[in-house]
Amino acid sequence: MSKILVIADQKQNKLKKSTLEVLSEAKKLADKSGLALEAVILGEAIADEAKVLAHYGVSKVYTIENSIFKNYLNQPYIDGIKKAIEASSPRLVLVPTCESVKDYLPGLVGATNACGIMDCSSVDIDGNTVSIERPLMAAKAVSKMQSSDDLIILSIRSGSFDAVEADTSLSCDIESIDLGTLDIKAIFKELISAQSDRVSLDDASVVVACGRGVKDKAGFELIEKLADVFGAAVGSTRALVENGVAEASLQVGQTGKVVSPDLYIAIGISGAVQHTAGMSNSKVIVAINKDEEAPIFALADYGLVGDLFDIVPKLTEAVKELKS
Ligand SMILES: Cc1cc2nc3c(=O)[nH]c(=O)nc-3n(C[C@H](O)[C@H](O)[C@H](O)COP(=O)(O)OP(=O)(O)OC[C@H]3O[C@@H](n4cnc5c(N)ncnc54)[C@H](O)[C@@H]3O)c2cc1C
């Protein structure tokens, strides 16, 4: 076992919370196994964030800076990370799972002839063996695997690990890698993204989520008001997306986003496994539901049984008062 390499994920040239979670766990693994920890960051203007990676105990950072990363295409990521793997020679590569990683990881695994496993929730190293856990069937089952391959690339499910505090006194070597000439077959045409001033679900520390219980757009607006007083992101179940009340980008769950905020408030949500697969790693879960038998209460740290149309406006006022 030589090194661990973390692929840092960033959005608009800022490291994502999920990257800090993976870095923190990678540092623990590296210290425990006596391995060096390195990282690679790819993007348009990433010099500042490369320095931040050092604050998590990384001994060397590879930067691959290129305007091609302005808009996502998988080939530059595959080519760039392959070069970083050649430069670093790691045994284990860890990357936080996100939509782009789901897209480029199979290509990267093929290009590097690695053992690749997507969306893992636990990693351990014992000598030459890497033990991996991966939730299956909406997290109702866990697959336990071991690998002794020469190169293992794992994507890590968001919220699987806690991010430690940065140590800003730390610094490290930063080496730039040239992406070189690319043979790109795909053309980026257009990015259509939902317009919202709210915090994004990916990085929110508080998520106020709602389900079919809110009934319609007017009910959904009550949830938005509560989210606004918290400075929170709004999440939704698939039921609300399917009936046109919520945007698809807000869906949390097996076929939506996986989130792990400090506080997840589930309002008018029954707690189907396909939904809880996307939020069960939240630190504190509060459920509001008029049915005391709703499965969400089995997962919740705090539960309020009652009509959301009574509770949510009162809660919004109470939080507003507390904050003022
Ligand atoms: C392959 C597959 C993938 C799926 N992926 C996802 C996914 O990614 N995310 C997801 O969310 N779902 C997903 N689903 C759907 C999932 O199975 C559930 O159908 C869905 O999560 C239910 O949404 P809900 O809780 O909003 O609705 P319901 O199950 O109908 O629950 C509504 C809840 O609101 C409560 N309620 C009603 N009125 C009030 C009120 N006035 N006050 C308080 N409480 C009230 C009710 O008691 C009930 O518990 C998937 C399903 C399949 C088959």
Side-chain angles (χ1 to χ4, degrees), residues 11 44 77 102 109 131 133 141 156 159 201 209 211 216 246 248 250 282:
K11 190 172 182 187
E44 238 199 321
Y77 279 88
K102 285 184 200 164
V109 166
S131 302
E133 290 187 5
I156 304 293
L201 263 177
D216 52 23
L250 303 184
S282 304

Side-chain angles (χ1 to χ4, degrees), residues 222 306-315:
L222 287 179
D307 190 328
L308 71 90
F309 294 98
D310 284 340
I311 296 170
V312 173
K314 287 179 190 154
L315 187 57

Side-chain angles (χ1 to χ4, degrees), residues 236-250:
S236 151
T237 63
R238 181 156 132 178
L240 269 195
V241 172
E242 280 175 349
N243 68 18
V245 172
E247 297 268 349
S249 60
L250 303 184

